[in-house]
């Protein structure tokens, strides 16, 4: 056998070094997240624990969290046919409003045809508000027209019926910071036109808002993920969060006040909403037992997500705009739908098919047992679901199937039982959950036919004993049990 040549030896040597380096990197990446110096972190936790030792369980001890769940025997909050203890909001993402491409229409349809029907408590947009690409799809440019359309569509399209307009929260995605030297730069058009620019600026990349209801307090945290200095494509497909931003995120999440639920919205690495953070986020390096839900885009798929919190059970449905029904405009080829005087050229209104969001029983694939009172399902007297439709409730035909058999009890509109004017579009039907307490999975399908013949359908899988079901694919990629520490450390190192 011939001796190896010197270049082969060199090659082998380099390969060996590469392997060593990748092992080293892998080790670094897997280390728990430290936004500050590693030695400081345990110290911070200790301090925190001392300050709040009465209410707070040791962050390391996940098991002790279960003691926080209300004892089922003394929980008198009943899921019945009352339209109470319930709110919902909408999340959209990746609008990619473009001067040159027709996807802009989808956002206009959403604002014009979806929002007045769904009437959410607020809308949150998780980044990529504008496309920022030139006509040839090659160069990246921040176009003022794209931002003006975004702002004007919201200002002109969402004030109807609401005194101060619809609360609207947004943040930047990577497209919103192409070629961006700094926040102060005059190409940072988000600063001028973004709806939450002042919040993001004050919070230096992280801001939060709350919903205080008489039945609970809910917190929402948004994180800007623009690279500090935005290089042109394709270098900034992966954003990163600066150490300072991470520190601010940490202190926001560590806020003393307790919340029934905390939701975290961000654009990177994919567009996600994370919830179920609760107290356990008081320590980054424990598994957070939260749920990370990626959302499809508005740009190509016309997707929006409705998230409901019903008696602290969190449910959601991802809906696509009925784009098959969209007629191209007469003035095709694509014309930018903003007049010189900043008036939006709205497309023809869409006739939305009924959209159904089942809230009780909650879909068992998304249980957060440590954070949600899932025992309320077994105690409930009614199945509950929201039906969004432009038609009068009395004109809708609603059919409920459990395990593919017609549910024998009548389904009624309960939204009008509330004392306030803005009751949720709640429908209920009586049931006996104990009949389904047989350690098996059951299905619930709700079918709604509108007077115009359009049919909406929603199906979930449930268990009444709180046991979480496996997530078997479905729309998009669902990640479950991903700890925020891991997500965040990815950002930190990318
Ligand atoms: C919200 O949390 C408070 C305090 O733990 C609790 O009393 C209340 O019942 C919760 N709200 C709901 C709707 O479960
Ligand atoms: C804006 O201009 C269009 C025509 O370009 C006109 O139809 C519309 O009434 C104008 N709107 C306002 C608010 O002036």
């Amino acid at each position: 056998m011939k001796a190896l040549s010197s270049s082969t030896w060199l090659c082998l040597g380099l390969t060996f070094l590469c392997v060593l380096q990748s092992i080293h990197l892998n080790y670094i990446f897997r280390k728990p997240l430290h936004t500050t110096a590693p030695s400081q972190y345990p110290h911070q936790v200790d301090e925190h624990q001392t300050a709040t030792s009465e209410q707070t369980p040791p962050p390391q001890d996940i098991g002790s969290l279960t003691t926080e769940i209300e004892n089922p025997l003394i929980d008198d909050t009943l899921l019945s046919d009352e339209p109470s203890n319930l709110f919902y909001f909408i999340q959209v993402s990746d609008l990619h409003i473009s001067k040159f491409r027709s996807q802009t229409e989808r956002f206009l349809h959403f604002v014009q045809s979806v929002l007045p029907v769904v009437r959410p408590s607020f809308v949150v947009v998780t980044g990529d508000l504008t496309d920022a690409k030139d006509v040839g799809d090659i160069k990246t440019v921040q176009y003022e027209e794209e931002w003006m359309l975004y702002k004007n569509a919201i200002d002109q399209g969402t004030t109807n019926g609401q005194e101060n307009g619809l609360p609207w929260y947004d943040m930047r995605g990577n497209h919103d910071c192409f070629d961006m030297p700094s926040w102060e730069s005059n190409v940072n058009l988000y600063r001028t036109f973004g709806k939450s620019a002042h919040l993001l600026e004050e919070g230096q990349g992280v801001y939060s808002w709350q919903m205080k209801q008489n039945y609970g307090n809910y917190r929402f945290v948004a994180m800007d993920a623009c690279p500090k200095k935005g290089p042109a494509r394709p270098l900034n497909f992966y954003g990163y969060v600066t150490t300072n931003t991470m520190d601010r995120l940490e202190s926001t999440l560590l806020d003393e006040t307790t919340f029934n639920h905390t939701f975290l919205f961000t654009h990177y690495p994919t567009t996600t909403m994370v919830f179920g953070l609760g107290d356990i986020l008081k320590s980054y390096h424990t598994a957070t037992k939260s749920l990370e839900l990626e959302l499809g885009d508005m740009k190509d798929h016309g997707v929006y997500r409705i998230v409901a919190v019903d008696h602290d059970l969190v449910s959601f449905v991802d809906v696509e705009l009925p784009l098959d029904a969209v007629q191209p405009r007469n003035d095709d080829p694509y014309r930018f739908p903003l007049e010189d005087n900043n008036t939006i050229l709205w497309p023809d209104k869409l006739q939305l098919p009924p959209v159904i969001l089942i809230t009780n029983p909650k879909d068992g694939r998304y249980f957060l047992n440590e954070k949600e009172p899932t025992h309320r399902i077994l105690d409930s007297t009614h199945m509950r679901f929201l039906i969004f439709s432009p038609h009068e409730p009395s004109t809708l035909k609603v059919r409920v199937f459990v395990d593919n058999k017609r549910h024998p009890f009548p389904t009624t509109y309960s939204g009008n039982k509330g004392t306030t004017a803005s009751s949720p579009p709640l429908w209920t039907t009586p049931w006996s959950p104990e009949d389904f307490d047989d350690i098996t999975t059951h299905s619930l399908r709700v079918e709604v036919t509108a007077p115009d013949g359009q049919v909406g359908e929603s199906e979930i899988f449930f268990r009444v004993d709180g046991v979480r079901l496996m997530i078997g694919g479905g729309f998009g990629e669902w990640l479950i049990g991903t700890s925020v520490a891991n997500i965040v450390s990815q950002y930190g190192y990318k």
Side-chain angles (χ1 to χ4, degrees):
M1 200 164 107
K2 243 180 85 186
L4 295 176
S5 73
S6 59
S7 61
T8 312
W9 277 114
L10 182 64
C11 203
L12 283 175
L14 285 177
T15 310
F16 181 63
L17 284 180
C18 285
V19 170
L20 274 187
Q21 174 70 356
S22 61
I23 290 171
H24 176 64
L25 284 177
N26 191 34
Y27 169 70
I28 293 178
F29 285 178
R30 280 159 186 274
K31 270 203 317 198
L33 176 79
H34 300 295
T35 58
T36 46
S39 59
Q40 242 178 306
Y41 191 70
H43 176 63
Q44 284 182 339
V45 171
D46 287 340
E47 251 181 17
H48 185 78
Q49 264 180 269
T50 331
T52 60
S53 51
E54 306 86 3
Q55 327 88 300
T56 318
Q60 285 80 6
D61 187 1
I62 296 176
S64 71
L65 261 193
T66 47
T67 58
E68 284 211 337
I69 297 179
E70 292 150 279
N71 183 337
L73 297 175
I74 56 161
D75 184 2
D76 54 4
T77 308
L78 187 67
L79 281 153
S80 65
D81 58 351
E82 293 294 324
S84 57
N85 287 16
L86 169 64
F87 72 92
Y88 56 89
F89 61 90
I90 285 191
Q91 181 196 8
V92 282
S93 196
D94 296 76
L95 312 178
H96 288 257
I97 288 169
S98 169
K99 225 180 123 174
F100 306 107
R101 279 160 283 272
S102 61
Q103 61 234 25
T104 310
E105 298 279 294
R106 303 207 162 146
F107 176 60
L108 296 184
H109 281 304
F110 167 73
V111 170
Q112 178 183 235
S113 300
V114 173
L115 292 181
V117 170
V118 176
R119 299 163 55 88
S121 292
F122 61 83
V123 173
V124 54
V125 192
T126 34
D128 282 358
L129 314 176
T130 64
D131 201 41
K133 282 189 285 179
D134 75 348
V135 64
D137 206 1
I138 297 164
K139 275 207 319 210
T140 61
V141 189
Q142 297 292 330
Y143 291 108
E144 190 160 310
E145 295 95 317
E146 294 181 351
W147 286 99
M148 304 236 292
L149 185 135
Y150 173 69
K151 184 177 188 303
N152 282 297
I154 299 166
D155 291 350
Q156 292 166 37
T158 64
T159 42
N160 286 0
Q162 308 213 29
E163 223 159 82
N164 300 312
L166 175 63
W168 190 285
Y169 301 94
D170 57 21
M171 66 207 74
R172 296 181 300 176
N174 52 323
H175 281 243
D176 305 315
C177 22
F178 283 152
D179 313 305
M180 192 85 45
S182 68
W183 174 266
E184 288 78 18
S185 151
N186 54 11
V187 293
N188 182 15
L189 296 178
Y190 176 82
R191 198 182 181 198
T192 312
F193 297 102
K195 298 293 280 185
S196 309
H198 58 292
L199 295 172
L200 206 58
E201 182 160 349
E202 269 165 35
Q204 298 180 52
V206 177
Y207 68 91
S208 67
W209 68 99
Q210 297 176 18
M211 277 190 68
K212 285 197 197 309
Q213 308 281 17
N214 55 13
Y215 50 84
N217 292 335
Y218 303 86
R219 176 173 55 177
F220 309 88
V221 181
M223 182 169 62
D224 184 47
C226 275
K228 214 166 156 196
K229 189 170 175 351
R233 286 170 75 214
L235 284 175
N236 72 345
F237 279 135
Y238 299 103
Y240 60 87
V241 178
T242 61
T243 309
N244 284 344
T245 310
M246 277 308 311
D247 287 345
R248 275 186 295 276
L249 176 65
E250 185 181 61
S251 56
T252 307
L253 294 173
L254 296 190
D255 189 313
E256 291 297 303
T257 332
T258 48
F259 295 94
N260 293 58
H261 281 297
T262 294
F263 296 77
L264 170 65
F265 302 97
T266 178
H267 187 77
Y268 288 108
T270 48
T271 294
T272 53
M273 171 185 77
V274 185
F275 68 99
L277 303 174
D279 285 339
I280 197 147
L281 243 199
K282 286 178 175 157
S283 166
Y284 268 141
H285 54 266
T286 37
T288 57
K289 295 274 167 83
S290 57
L291 194 56
E292 184 190 4
L293 302 171
E294 198 177 313
L295 172 62
D297 60 48
M298 176 58 63
K299 169 188 172 241
D300 292 323
H301 300 99
V303 175
Y304 60 96
R305 169 178 292 162
I306 310 175
V307 182
V309 181
D310 186 5
H311 292 74
D312 275 8
L313 298 174
V314 182
S315 306
F316 66 93
V317 63
D318 288 352
V319 193
E320 286 182 47
L321 289 173
L323 290 173
D324 298 344
V326 175
Q327 300 293 323
R329 290 196 192 215
N330 296 333
D331 50 14
D332 245 10
Y334 179 64
R335 172 175 170 201
F336 193 61
L338 185 69
E339 301 274 20
D340 291 340
N341 58 14
N342 283 337
T343 308
I344 299 284
L345 282 171
W346 295 100
D348 290 340
K349 250 191 147 174
L350 291 178
Q351 198 61 6
L352 280 200
V355 170
I356 304 137
L357 171 48
I358 299 169
T359 62
N360 183 55
K362 172 185 166 155
D363 193 322
R365 291 171 296 181
Y366 307 107
F367 276 158
L368 282 161
N369 297 66
E370 290 80 7
K371 312 287 168 50
E372 289 180 310
T374 48
H375 61 265
R376 286 181 183 161
I377 297 173
L378 189 52
D379 296 333
S380 65
T381 59
H382 289 73
M383 294 183 176
R384 295 161 66 90
F385 37 90
L386 299 165
I387 301 178
F388 305 99
S389 165
H391 301 280
E392 279 295 307
S394 60
T395 64
L396 299 174
K397 244 195 241 127
V398 183
R399 301 199 300 165
V400 175
F401 299 86
V402 182
D403 296 331
N404 291 317
K405 284 194 285 288
R406 188 78 188 261
H407 185 59
F409 301 103
T411 302
T412 44
Y413 175 63
S414 305
N416 53 2
K417 296 186 66 177
T419 45
T420 54
S422 58
S423 289
L426 179 72
W427 290 70
T428 59
T429 180
W431 77 318
S432 309
E434 55 281 4
D435 293 350
F436 302 93
D437 194 8
D438 54 4
I439 45 174
T440 53
T441 302
H442 298 277
S443 71
L444 167 61
R445 184 158 53 88
V446 178
E447 212 183 85
V448 180
T449 310
D452 61 4
Q454 295 200 87
V455 181
E457 196 185 275
S458 201
E459 183 172 36
I460 58 130
F461 298 93
F462 70 94
R463 276 179 71 148
V464 298
D465 55 7
V467 173
R468 196 172 69 202
L469 305 175
M470 296 296 290
I471 295 186
F475 185 84
E477 280 276 291
W478 305 114
L479 306 171
I480 197 160
T482 315
S483 76
V484 169
N486 290 341
I487 301 164
V488 169
S489 63
Q490 267 179 358
Y491 300 150
Y493 288 112
K494 263 200 176 137

